[in-house]
Amino acid sequence: MHKILKVLLASFILLASSVCADDANVVLVTLDGVRWQEVFSGADKNLISNKDFVKRPSDLSNEFWDENPHKRQQLLMPFLTQVVAKQGVIIGDRTKGSTMSVSNPWYFSYPGYNEILSGEVDENINSNDKVYNPNKTILERLDAQAEFKNSTALFGSWDVFPYIVNTKRSNVYVNAGFMPIAEDLFADAPLLNALQKEIPSPWTNVRLDSFTYRFAKAYMLAKQPKLLVISLGETDDFAHDGHYDAYLKSAKKSDAFLKDLWQTIQSTPGYKNKTTLIITTDHGRGTHASDWQHHSSKQALANSVQGKRAFPEGIVGSEHIWLGAIGPAIKGNGLIKIKNVKQAQIAATVLAALGQQPHIINPNMAPAIKEILK
């Protein structure tokens, strides 16, 4: 009789965990090229007053500057640094013994997003060209399972994402670049589609993040995918253009989107208390006024005469990244002092947060970041 009770109890625990896994959701948000330096210390004093990068330094200082780095954090990204980092976890403050970096040898976007979404490093992905990804992302691998069918989606500001997710091969819903949203999805869809055409983006291949976020939020509420990826891109492009003021303002706006997203998750049946939010970036940037606009490894610049001459060692530090997470699958441990966490571990961490077994879905992916998971 005692053995029967033990078997029944074990079965009940397995059933309970299965139900919990079935109910789990993850929203993964990437903020393209946001440096760990700003995340953990706010505005950079060597850049915020530099007239080469800031049109009106006095105005920007009033909004973002304080001598105390913790106050600068709050001025720039209050939700990430004061809510996620305290109620959940955060990694990447290298001044406090918390380090995270990319695994790929290139230190730019397509290799980074492949690494984030597949859990593997592919050295053959060595450009940002619109080439269909030979590797399967976790979005595609999950969609192949009955319980996740038509329940993974990606919204991105950069128009290369259909190639990264390989929409030619996969069944994953992707809305990126200047794609419109289905006009019957929500009431404001026709208006936002019209505004997306009418409001010029500074870039030919990256739309304004407001459209990406609004489309993604509406899709989340209408379709309730179990895995949603939202990739915001303005920060990287403003940085490349040398506009530190716009870079900071975009980072602050991204943080406001994160706050609104979390509030929406926590007020939506089916998502409330069942959804883990993970935030990260695809690469870092240079450290100084001479190189903060850029990111690439020495190996990546080897074939560029101009790049090699200007930066013979590559953009040092652009491999350094960060990650924050909050939700039912995440420990509430604040800053995790940990060495050498890798970008490739994000994919398995997402799968584990969904109640899946990463090594079964893809035996070749890097392991989950177990230190942040319950």
Side-chain angles (χ1 to χ4, degrees), residues 49-54 242-243:
S49 59
N50 190 320
K51 292 184 178 180
D52 289 337
F53 308 125
V54 177
H243 300 317

Side-chain angles (χ1 to χ4, degrees), residues 24-100:
N25 313 291
V26 171
V27 180
L28 170 64
V29 180
T30 64
L31 309 182
D32 201 304
V34 171
R35 303 193 307 173
W36 70 272
Q37 290 94 329
E38 276 85 14
V39 170
F40 294 100
S41 298
D44 188 324
K45 66 179 180 180
N46 294 317
L47 297 176
I48 195 170
S49 59
N50 190 320
K51 292 184 178 180
D52 289 337
F53 308 125
V54 177
K55 291 180 180 179
R56 300 177 67 176
S58 59
D59 291 351
L60 200 66
S61 294
N62 291 335
E63 184 176 358
F64 292 108
W65 183 252
D66 191 280
E67 290 295 333
N68 186 320
H70 297 295
K71 290 184 179 179
R72 294 202 302 271
Q73 268 191 321
Q74 294 176 41
L75 290 172
L76 182 61
M77 304 186 81
F79 178 76
L80 177 63
T81 61
Q82 305 305 310
V83 178
V84 175
K86 292 183 177 180
Q87 296 179 17
V89 298
I90 198 162
I91 299 171
D93 187 348
R94 306 182 79 84
T95 66
K96 296 181 179 178
S98 180
T99 67
M100 185 174 184

Side-chain angles (χ1 to χ4, degrees), residues 183-191:
E183 299 211 337
D184 61 350
L185 190 69
F186 63 113
D188 290 333
L191 174 60

Side-chain angles (χ1 to χ4, degrees), residues 7-269:
V7 170
L8 288 173
L9 180 60
S11 299
F12 176 78
I13 292 172
L14 285 172
L15 178 62
S17 64
S18 172
V19 171
C20 185
D22 288 344
D23 287 347
N25 313 291
V26 171
V27 180
L28 170 64
V29 180
T30 64
L31 309 182
D32 201 304
V34 171
R35 303 193 307 173
W36 70 272
Q37 290 94 329
E38 276 85 14
V39 170
F40 294 100
S41 298
D44 188 324
K45 66 179 180 180
N46 294 317
L47 297 176
I48 195 170
S49 59
N50 190 320
K51 292 184 178 180
D52 289 337
F53 308 125
V54 177
K55 291 180 180 179
R56 300 177 67 176
S58 59
D59 291 351
L60 200 66
S61 294
N62 291 335
E63 184 176 358
F64 292 108
W65 183 252
D66 191 280
E67 290 295 333
N68 186 320
H70 297 295
K71 290 184 179 179
R72 294 202 302 271
Q73 268 191 321
Q74 294 176 41
L75 290 172
L76 182 61
M77 304 186 81
F79 178 76
L80 177 63
T81 61
Q82 305 305 310
V83 178
V84 175
K86 292 183 177 180
Q87 296 179 17
V89 298
I90 198 162
I91 299 171
D93 187 348
R94 306 182 79 84
T95 66
K96 296 181 179 178
S98 180
T99 67
M100 185 174 184
S101 61
V102 304
S103 306
N104 72 78
W106 308 115
Y107 313 168
F108 54 83
S109 290
Y110 195 147
Y113 287 118
N114 171 70
E115 188 174 334
I116 290 170
L117 296 175
S118 73
E120 299 182 74
V121 175
D122 185 347
E123 293 193 16
N124 292 318
I125 296 178
N126 56 9
S127 78
N128 283 335
D129 293 345
K130 292 179 178 178
V131 176
Y132 284 106
N133 194 347
N135 307 296
K136 291 184 178 181
T137 67
I138 53 174
L139 294 150
E140 181 177 355
R141 292 182 184 276
L142 286 173
D143 183 75
Q145 300 183 26
E147 63 183 301
F148 286 93
K149 193 68 179 174
N150 299 319
S151 196
T152 68
L154 181 145
F155 285 76
S157 296
W158 191 31
D159 69 357
V160 181
F161 276 106
Y163 297 86
I164 297 172
V165 181
N166 196 336
T167 53
K168 185 172 68 173
R169 183 191 62 224
S170 74
N171 186 54
V172 176
Y173 179 87
V174 175
N175 181 292
F178 297 92
M179 293 179 180
I181 195 72
E183 299 211 337
D184 61 350
L185 190 69
F186 63 113
D188 290 333
L191 174 60
L192 288 182
N193 283 336
L195 290 175
Q196 183 174 231
K197 288 182 178 180
E198 294 166 4
I199 299 175
S201 167
W203 316 285
T204 59
N205 63 340
V206 178
R207 71 178 164 199
L208 297 173
D209 286 337
S210 181
F211 295 108
T212 298
Y213 176 65
R214 298 299 170 188
F215 287 172
K217 178 181 174 181
Y219 186 92
M220 182 183 76
L221 292 172
K223 302 294 185 180
Q224 296 215 338
K226 296 181 72 63
L227 172 57
L228 175 64
V229 178
I230 305 173
S231 180
L232 304 178
E234 287 179 9
T235 42
D236 186 60
D237 287 273
F238 280 131
H240 280 304
D241 292 344
H243 300 317
Y244 192 66
D245 44 3
Y247 165 81
L248 291 179
K249 289 177 181 293
S250 182
K252 185 174 183 177
K253 183 178 69 174
S254 296
D255 186 79
F257 289 153
L258 291 172
K259 179 181 179 181
D260 180 74
L261 177 63
W262 185 242
Q263 290 175 340
T264 302
I265 287 170
Q266 292 302 87
S267 61
T268 302

